[in-house]
Amino acid sequence: MTLFTMVALLVALLLIFTGVYLLVKTHNMLRIIIAIEIVMKAITLLLIFAGLMNGKMALTQSFIITVIVIEVVVAVVAAGVAINLYRHNGDMEISRLNKLNG
């Protein structure tokens, strides 16, 4: 394992821990969306290095495309909920999500 690989894995793990910490500590919908994006980018980075270590980059690329599509769908749905939350309450506090009507 090269020094570059070890540093990249450490950065990916640090990104995952940062994203999880933000998810636990915040009550703002926009910050939650950003935290989810940080975690998903770290997972993508880990998938890249897993494919690099195994030598199966074609399979890894298909997994990464799938992760990116899922990430975009989650971000769009969460942004829609955040916009609706802001329109109804004037802020993005997640404690007020139960006041939204479908």
Side-chain angles (χ1 to χ4, degrees):
M1 202 182 266
T2 65
L3 179 65
F4 174 73
T5 307
M6 289 174 39
V7 169
L9 290 175
L10 182 65
V11 168
L13 290 175
L14 184 65
L15 282 173
I16 288 175
F17 289 137
T18 303
V20 170
Y21 177 77
L22 288 174
L23 281 172
V24 170
K25 288 294 184 180
T26 190
H27 299 285
N28 188 328
M29 189 70 177
L30 190 59
R31 289 182 183 158
I32 290 173
I33 295 170
I34 292 170
I36 291 171
E37 290 295 318
I38 288 172
V39 171
M40 294 298 284
K41 296 300 180 192
I43 290 172
T44 304
L45 184 61
L46 287 175
L47 279 173
I48 289 170
F49 284 108
L52 186 66
M53 297 303 274
N54 287 336
K56 298 180 180 179
M57 286 305 291
L59 180 64
T60 304
Q61 288 174 357
S62 65
F63 283 148
I64 290 171
I65 290 172
T66 305
V67 167
I68 290 171
V69 168
I70 291 170
E71 177 184 349
V72 168
V73 169
V74 167
V76 167
V77 170
V81 170
I83 289 170
N84 200 10
L85 182 65
Y86 184 76
R87 282 185 185 165
H88 286 290
N89 297 322
D91 62 357
M92 292 194 181
E93 229 14 71
I94 62 169
S95 61
R96 298 187 180 150
L97 277 174
N98 57 358
K99 294 180 183 177
L100 292 179
N101 292 328

